[in-house]
Structures are given as structure tokens and as C-alpha cells.
Amino acid sequence: MTEPKRLTPQQAQSLVRKKWDTHHSNWLVSPLEATWPFTVILHELTQKDVSSRLADTRKWVQTWRAWDPGNCSVEWVSRRWSSGDQELPTRLVVPSAEDAAAFLGQKAAWDLAKRRYAQWCERFPQLTGSRAAARQSDAVLVEYSDEDFQRLNSLLQWFLDYPRSGLYLRQLPVPDVDTKWVEKRRGTVADLVRHLFDAPDTASLHQVCGLLTEPSRIRVRVLCPKLRAQLGGLCDIEAPVVELASLLIRPRICIVVENQNTGIALPDIAGAVVFMRLGLAVDQLDSIGWIREASLQVYWGDLDTHGFAALARARRRFPAMVSILMTEQALLSHRSMWVREEKPSKVESFESLSTAEFEVYEGIRTNRWGLQVRLEQERISWPIAMENLLSICSA
């Protein structure tokens, strides 16, 4: 038999807390949109319910009579039943957001949030009623120290005063605000400045505020002695993408490996260069034109979901790129070298993978051979790896 609804004070308080957790940020920034009072229905008891559980009902009523709801109130209703007159608590009434805060022990936090939000509205009118202010109501308006709240406001004001400074983040002349402080709060700062400048959600902090960013750098090893001679003997180079693109070398083979140690360990290979330590940042190679001119483009990554995601991304930029050692045979023949992939890739387009590559990816993703299987490329037997690589490079 289903027990009729009959809330205890603790259960009613839990419902108010759930409402608070969901809506208090909106109550702060859009108080006129809130509907007050907020009520909680305490029971759905009928005469039959009361008469069949008379002792329990009396105990429940006594609990409500003894409970102090603070600034909230409990409404009672009288019932004239054949079993006798009954007075039952029917609704808990929460008059306002302030009363809800006090009821839940959040009054100090609510008062602080209101005071700081009022400061925002006065100093940054763009934040009035904004979703950005609501999103940051707990993290900033409640949890920040007074010093950090002042630092944040000073930083936001500086961005508004100098919207296209052309400075690096470390150069910002904002008192008591250093790079580490900003980096730890990058998400919060970016969220607020996007709203202040009416920028799209996809815009980065640097883009919105007109800050300079360090150029992307790629590490490449020149495996061919003849190509090294054209570069004054340089072999291991890390440089901005635009500078690598301007090199006057024309390698016949361009190899992309996921991990740095693999690239460092590769031997001399005639006509070849190797790019390393890219992973999903393989997109950066798109602007290096001489890679497209190479007659062979090779990708070698880890045998895990992220490795195949990076391969798929590389193949979309370089359709002729071939993969090596990313096969079912390579995976299963090194079972003793497997480790677990802690956070498998979930969002990626794999249409550019071959049928065989996609089958291995799907097998890993669906745990066909074990839970979250991962084989790092360095764990493949080096003689086997070199035999495969040198074979395809000499073909």
C-alpha cells in the first residue's frame, strides 16, 4: 500500500534547499522574475489516511507544532471528520529569497552576494541581470576574499579602459594582479569579460581583451643528413609554426608521432623529418605547406581512443596520410604492455579513418579486448616498430 504524502520538517526543508540550489542565482540577478511566496505542500492526507494511522498522525502534528520555521510560516487547516476534529499543517510558506537564505543558514552568504552584486551593477552596468553574473554568484560573489574581489574588479576595469592593449598577459600593469592569479581564474575572468564586451561564448580571453599570445611552437627533428646540411647542421628544432613553414627544405617524407620520446629515438632516414608531441594539436601542421608537397605523410600514435582521434584529425588535413602500427595485430601482440586509458575520447569525428582503423578504434571504445585498453606507442617492440617504419619509408 502506498504511503500518502506527509512531509516532516526536515523533508520540507530539503525541498526548499533544492529550490535554493537551483534558483538562488537567478533570484539574485533577476529578483523581479521570482514568484513569492514560495510554498511547500506538506500533506495529501484523507480522513481514511488519518483514521488508519491516528497515532502516527498525532506524532507528525506534534513534530510540526514543536518546530520553529524562523521567518517562514506554517499554515494549518481544520478538518471536521467523523473520527473527530483535526488541525493539520498544510503548507510551509517562504516569503522571500532573504527568508529562504535565513531558513537554510545562508543569510551571511546571501547578504555578501547581494552587496557585491550591487557593487558590480554600479561599476559594470553591463552585468546587471546577466547570466554571467548569475553563473559567478557563488564562485565570486560569495567565495572570493575581499582582496580577490577587488583584484578582479580592478582587472575588469583595466580591460574596459584598454580594450586593445596589445600586451601579453604577464605585462598587464594592474596592481596586485599577477599572471598566476589570472591563470587560476581564467574561466571566471573570460566569462565576465565576454559579457562586458558582448563577445561570443567561443571567444578566448586573449581575443576579447586584445591581448597578445605566444606563437604556437612545434618541435621537429630533421632525420635526413642532406636536409640537415641545408639548415647548417641543425637537427632538433622547436620554432613557431610560421617560421617552420618558411624553411627552404623539401622533405620527401613527413612523419608525425604522438609522443616526444618516440621522435627523439628515431634514427636517420633519408629525405625524412619527424614532428612530435602534437596529439590533437596536429591541426597546427595545416599551415606548413611543404608537408603537403611530401610524397609520403605518415602518422604513428598511441593505440587508444585519443590516438585515433588525432589520426582522424590529421587525415582530414592531409587525406593521403597513412598510419603505421595502429592495427589490431600491433595491439593484441603487445597485451602485456597495456595500460588503462583514464579518460577516453568522446567527441570526435572519425569519418576519415579507414575501415580497419575504425574497427580498432571501435574495439577499444567498446572494451572488446578489455576495459579502456591503451597501448602507448613507446611500448611497442622497437625492432618491430623500426621494421614497419623503415619498410614504408623505403617503399
Side-chain angles (χ1 to χ4, degrees):
M1 182 176 179
T2 303
E3 183 76 17
K5 176 180 176 180
R6 182 170 57 188
L7 299 182
T8 66
Q10 291 72 28
Q11 289 171 328
Q13 191 172 35
S14 294
L15 291 177
V16 176
R17 184 173 299 281
K18 183 177 181 181
K19 186 83 169 181
W20 171 271
D21 290 343
T22 304
H23 297 287
H24 73 277
S25 295
N26 292 330
W27 294 341
L28 177 69
V29 304
S30 303
L32 297 181
E33 296 180 9
T35 301
W36 298 101
F38 164 57
T39 62
V40 178
I41 304 300
L42 302 181
H43 76 88
E44 295 176 352
L45 297 174
T46 65
Q47 180 177 355
K48 181 179 179 180
D49 297 327
V50 172
S51 60
S52 63
R53 297 179 175 84
L54 192 56
D56 289 342
T57 302
R58 287 173 176 168
K59 184 177 180 180
W60 172 69
V61 170
Q62 289 170 358
T63 300
W64 273 102
R65 288 196 182 282
W67 188 60
D68 180 8
N71 289 341
C72 301
S73 61
V74 179
E75 294 184 351
W76 295 76
V77 62
S78 296
R79 293 286 186 262
R80 306 199 70 174
W81 288 328
S82 58
S83 58
D85 293 346
Q86 300 287 345
E87 190 174 16
L88 306 175
T90 183
R91 296 196 310 170
L92 173 67
V93 181
V94 184
S96 67
E98 286 72 16
D99 294 318
F103 181 67
L104 298 171
Q106 297 290 329
K107 186 177 186 306
W110 178 253
D111 289 345
L112 177 62
K114 286 185 64 179
R115 183 170 67 253
R116 288 179 170 177
Y117 176 62
Q119 293 175 23
W120 266 1
C121 292
E122 181 178 356
R123 188 168 185 176
F124 309 112
Q126 306 96 313
L127 293 178
T128 303
S130 70
R131 294 301 308 147
R135 284 192 292 268
Q136 303 303 331
S137 63
D138 288 337
V140 174
L141 298 181
V142 174
E143 296 178 10
Y144 270 28
S145 66
D146 289 340
E147 293 79 10
D148 281 339
F149 186 63
Q150 180 57 46
R151 290 186 183 102
L152 175 63
N153 290 343
S154 297
L155 180 64
L156 297 178
Q157 187 64 58
W158 194 91
F159 284 141
L160 287 173
D161 293 341
Y162 304 95
R164 293 291 178 269
S165 67
L167 298 177
Y168 287 102
L169 187 60
R170 295 183 67 91
Q171 294 178 295
L172 298 186
V174 183
D176 206 25
V177 176
D178 60 26
T179 307
K180 289 183 179 180
W181 189 93
V182 180
E183 287 294 349
K184 289 180 180 179
R185 300 159 179 83
R186 176 183 287 267
T188 293
V189 175
D191 188 23
L192 293 170
V193 298
R194 277 194 290 262
H195 191 84
L196 290 175
F197 287 99
D198 195 24
D201 292 342
T202 55
S204 70
L205 175 63
H206 288 73
Q207 290 170 332
V208 176
C209 299
L211 299 176
L212 295 180
T213 57
E214 294 186 13
S216 298
R217 302 174 69 88
I218 293 179
R219 188 169 179 180
V220 57
R221 288 188 67 234
V222 183
L223 303 179
C224 174
K226 292 183 179 180
L227 293 176
R228 290 201 294 269
Q230 296 177 29
L231 297 173
L234 283 176
C235 173
D236 196 327
I237 306 168
E238 183 172 353
V241 178
V242 65
E243 294 183 19
L244 290 177
S246 67
L247 292 179
L248 299 179
I249 60 173
R250 292 299 178 265
R252 179 177 62 87
I253 304 167
C254 289
I255 305 167
V256 180
V257 297
E258 187 168 344
N259 302 323
Q260 178 174 296
N261 285 347
T262 303
I264 292 174
L266 291 181
D268 282 359
I269 301 176
V273 299
V274 59
F275 297 90
M276 49 191 150
R277 203 179 58 195
L278 285 172
L280 293 179
V282 71
D283 294 0
Q284 298 177 47
L285 297 178
D286 199 28
S287 59
I288 303 177
W290 46 261
I291 297 179
R292 299 185 184 281
E293 299 174 13
S295 58
L296 177 63
Q297 301 149 1
V298 180
Y299 187 87
W300 176 17
D302 293 334
L303 278 155
D304 60 11
T305 60
H306 288 278
F308 282 100
L311 170 60
R313 188 170 290 191
R315 179 89 43 70
R316 287 197 295 274
R317 273 72 184 174
F318 307 97
M321 182 168 278
V322 298
S323 66
I324 63 166
L325 297 164
M326 299 184 73
T327 64
E328 181 177 344
Q329 179 183 1
L331 179 66
L332 298 184
S333 62
H334 291 79
R335 188 181 295 268
S336 63
M337 298 290 105
W338 290 357
V339 293
R340 178 171 294 187
E341 184 180 26
E342 295 299 331
K343 296 181 179 180
S345 174
K346 293 183 179 180
V347 182
E348 187 64 53
S349 175
F350 293 91
E351 288 82 359
S352 57
L353 296 182
S354 70
T355 301
E357 291 163 348
F358 186 76
E359 283 296 314
V360 181
Y361 161 75
E362 275 291 281
I364 295 173
R365 186 186 68 82
T366 60
N367 300 316
R368 183 186 307 162
W369 301 294
L371 180 61
Q372 296 173 213
V373 166
R374 180 176 189 234
L375 175 62
E376 297 168 315
Q377 61 181 178
E378 298 96 330
R379 307 293 284 172
I380 292 178
S381 167
W382 194 246
I384 293 175
M386 288 304 94
E387 180 182 354
N388 279 264
L389 179 61
L390 296 177
S391 175
I392 195 171
C393 288
S394 61

